[in-house]
C-alpha cells in the first residue's frame, strides 16, 4: 500500500493529541517585530501605556517576544473542545478535478457558528477580560465574522459585547448582525453619532459607508471612556497570532502523524492572523534551521498591502488614536474600491508577518477577485464546502500551484488554510454568478494618496 492510500479524507486528532500550549513564533525570530509606538510622542508603548485600552494579560502576551510557549488555560481548552480539532482535509476531489500530481491538504476552520477561525482568539480575549473582572469588551467588525465570534465567546462567559460594524456591511449583511444580536451583542453601524471620532468622521465625510479603521477608532473610544470596558481586536496584533497558532499546531501534529511534510503553505492575508497562526510552528522550524518551507501570503489585488505597500510605521485606525505599528501598509486613509467584495480590506498587516516578509522568509501574491471566485466556485462544486471569499484567495493560489505541478510533474505537497464559510457573502456570489463582478486594481496614483497620509517619523 502506498503512503497516500493510508491517508484518510479527513484527519482528526483525539483529545490527548490536541495542543495544550500556544506557540509564539516571535521567540524564534532573530529580527523581532518593531514595537508599537505612541502616536503622539513616537515612544515605544509599554505595559502601563497600553492598560487603558487592552486587558492586562493580553498586553503581556502582546509585548512578549521571548517566551516560546504559553499554556492554554483549562477554560479555553474546554471551549475549544466544542468545535476543535478542526479537520485537516486531503483534497482528493480537487486533485482529481485538476488532474495534478500535487497532494493538496486544507485545514478547515469554518466548522463553528461564527463560520471562521476568529473564534480561536475571541474566546481567549474574552476569557482574559473576564478574569480581570471587566464588565465587557468593545470591538469593530467589517464583514462580521469577528463580531460574531466575539459575541459567541462573550455569551459563553457572560460578558457584555459592543460591536461597531462598518456601515456598508451592517446594511448588506443584516443576518450577520442578527446572529450577533442573538448572542447578546449590541451592534452599531460605524461611523456613528455615538462617539466623538464618529461624529468628526461624519462631519468630514458625510455619507461615508465606513471602514475598518474608522470602526476601530470608535470602539477604542468607547472602551477608554466607559468604566469596566476594554477594547479587543480580531487580527493584526501579536496576541491574536499567538492564539491562532492552534491552527498550525493542530495541522502539524496531524501531518506528522502520517509522516507528511508540506512543501508549500498558503494562506489568505487580511490582517495576517490566520496565516500567522497556520505557519507559526512551520516558520519556527524554518527560523531554527530545522526544515524549510515555501510560504505564500495571498491578498486581493485591490488591497495589496504586501505586494505594493510600504514597510513603515503607520496608524492602525483612521481616527489615529491607536498605537503606531511598523508594517506593510497602504496608509490608514486607504479604502479599497467600492466594487471590491472579496474581504481582506484592511490597509495594514501584522508586524510579525511584515518582518518575516521583509526578511525574505515568506512570499506574497495578489489575486483579482473574479479569479478568486472562479476558484471558490470550482472548490464548492468538487469539495462541497461553500468557501468564504477571503479563504478563496488561498484556494486560488493553491490551485495555481497545483496546476504548475501538472505541467512539471512535480509531486509537491500543498497545505492551505480554509478559514471559513461564505453563507453571508451571497451578494458577492450573486455578482459573480450574474457576471457583474469586476476587478479593480488601484493605480500607483491611487496608492500615493494613501502613502501621503503615513506619519512622518524622524
Ligand atoms: C477575518 C477573516 C480573514 C482574514 O483575517 P486574517 O486576520 O488575515 O486571518 C480570512 N478569512 C476569514 C473567513 C475571515 O473571517
Amino acid at each position: 500500500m502506498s503512503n497516500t492510500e493510508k491517508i484518510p479524507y479527513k484527519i482528526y486528532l483525539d483529545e490527548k493529541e490536541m495542543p495544550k500550549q500556544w506557540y509564539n513564533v516571535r521567540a524564534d525570530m532573530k529580527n523581532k517585530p518593531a514595537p508599537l509606538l505612541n502616536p503622539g510622542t513616537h515612544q515605544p508603548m509599554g505595559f502601563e501605556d497600553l492598560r487603558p485600552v487592552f486587558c492586562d494579560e493580553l498586553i503581556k502576551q502582546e509585548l512578549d517576544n521571548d517566551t516560546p510557549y504559553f499554556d492554554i488555560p483549562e477554560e479555553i481548552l474546554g471551549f475549544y473542545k466544542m468545535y476543535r480539532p478542526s479537520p485537516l482535509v486531503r483534497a482528493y476531489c480537487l486533485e482529481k478535478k485538476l488532474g495534478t500530481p500535487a497532494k493538496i491538504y486544507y485545514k478547515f476552520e469554518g466548522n463553528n457558528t461564527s463560520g471562521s477561525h476568529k473564534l480561536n482568539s475571541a474566546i481567549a480575549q474574552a476569557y482574559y477580560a473576564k478574569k480581570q473582572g471587566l464588565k465587557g469588551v468593545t470591538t469593530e467588525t467589517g464583514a462580521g465574522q469577528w463580531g460574531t465570534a466575539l459575541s459567541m465567546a462573550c455569551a459563553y462567559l457572560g460578558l457584555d459585547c459592543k460591536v461597531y460594524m462598518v456601515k456598508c456591511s451592517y446594511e448588506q449583511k443584516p443576518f450577520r448582525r442578527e446572529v450577533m444580536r442573538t448572542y447578546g451583542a449590541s451592534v452599531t453601524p460605524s461611523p456613528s453619532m455615538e462617539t466623538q471620532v464618529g461624529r468628526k468622521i461624519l462631519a468630514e465625510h458625510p455619507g461615508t459607508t465606513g471602514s475598518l479603521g474608522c470602526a476601530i477608532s470608535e470602539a477604542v473610544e468607547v472602551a477608554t471612556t466607559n468604566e469596566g470596558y476594554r477594547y479587543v481586536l480580531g487580527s493584526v496584533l501579536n496576541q491574536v497570532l499567538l492564539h491562532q497558532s492552534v491552527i498550525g499546531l493542530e495541522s502539524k501534529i496531524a501531518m506528522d502523524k502520517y509522516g507528511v511534510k508540506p512543501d508549500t503553505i498558503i494562506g489568505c492575508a487580511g490582517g495576517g492572523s490566520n496565516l500567522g497562526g497556520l505557519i507559526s510552528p512551520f516558520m519556527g522550524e524554518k527560523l531554527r534551521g530545522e526544515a524549510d518551507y515555501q510560504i505564500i501570503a495571498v491578498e486581493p489585488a485591490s488591497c495589496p498591502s504586501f505586494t505594493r505597500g510600504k514597510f513603515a510605521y503607520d496608524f492602525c485606525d483612521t481616527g489615529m488614536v491607536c498605537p503606531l505599528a511598523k508594517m506593510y501598509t497602504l496608509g490608514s486613509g486607504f479604502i479599497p474600491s467600492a466594487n471590491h467584495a472579496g474581504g481582506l480590506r484592511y490597509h495594514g498587516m501584522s508586524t510579525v508577518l511584515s518582518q518575516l516578509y521583509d526578511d525574505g522568509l515568506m512570499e506574497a501574491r495578489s489575486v483579482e477577485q473574479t479569479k478568486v471566485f472562479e476558484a471558490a466556485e470550482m472548490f464548492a462544486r468538487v469539495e462541497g464546502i461553500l468557501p468564504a471569499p477571503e479563504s478563496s484567495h488561498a484556494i486560488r493560489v493553491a490551485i495555481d500551484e497545483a496546476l504548475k505541478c501538472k505541467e512539471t510533474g512535480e509531486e509537491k505537497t500543498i497545505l492551505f488554510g480554509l478559514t471559513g464559510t461564505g453563507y453571508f457573502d451571497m451578494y458577492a456570489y450573486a455578482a459573480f454568478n450574474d457576471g457583474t463582478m469586476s476587478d479593480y486594481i488601484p493605480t500607483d496614483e491611487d496608492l500615493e494618496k494613501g502613502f501621503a497620509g503615513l506619519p512622518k517619523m524622524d
Side-chain angles (χ1 to χ4, degrees), residues 109-110 114-118 141 143-146 176 212 234-237 240-241 244 247 267-277 298 342-346 348-350 353 387-393 417-422 425:
E109 291 290 322
S114 76
S116 81
H117 66 285
K118 293 205 171 66
T141 198
Q145 289 98 323
W146 167 244
R176 208 19 119 189
L212 264 182
S235 182
V236 185
L237 296 176
V240 185
L241 267 73
Q244 295 296 357
I247 305 173
C268 64
S273 74
N274 87 82
L275 177 65
V298 191
L344 310 173
R345 306 170 63 98
Y346 188 61
M349 188 53 68
S350 141
L353 293 189
E390 293 88 344
S391 323
S392 306
H393 289 72
L418 187 68
T419 50
T421 47
D425 300 288

Side-chain angles (χ1 to χ4, degrees), residues 405-428:
C405 293
K406 187 175 176 175
E407 276 169 31
T408 60
E410 195 187 351
E411 291 184 28
K412 194 157 118 168
T413 298
I414 297 169
L415 166 64
F416 74 88
L418 187 68
T419 50
T421 47
Y423 306 124
F424 291 103
D425 300 288
M426 298 324 285
Y427 282 117

Side-chain angles (χ1 to χ4, degrees), residues 151 176-187:
S151 57
R176 208 19 119 189
R177 181 174 87 210
E178 291 318 316
V179 177
M180 288 185 255
R181 298 208 311 160
T182 303
Y183 282 97
S186 70
V187 188

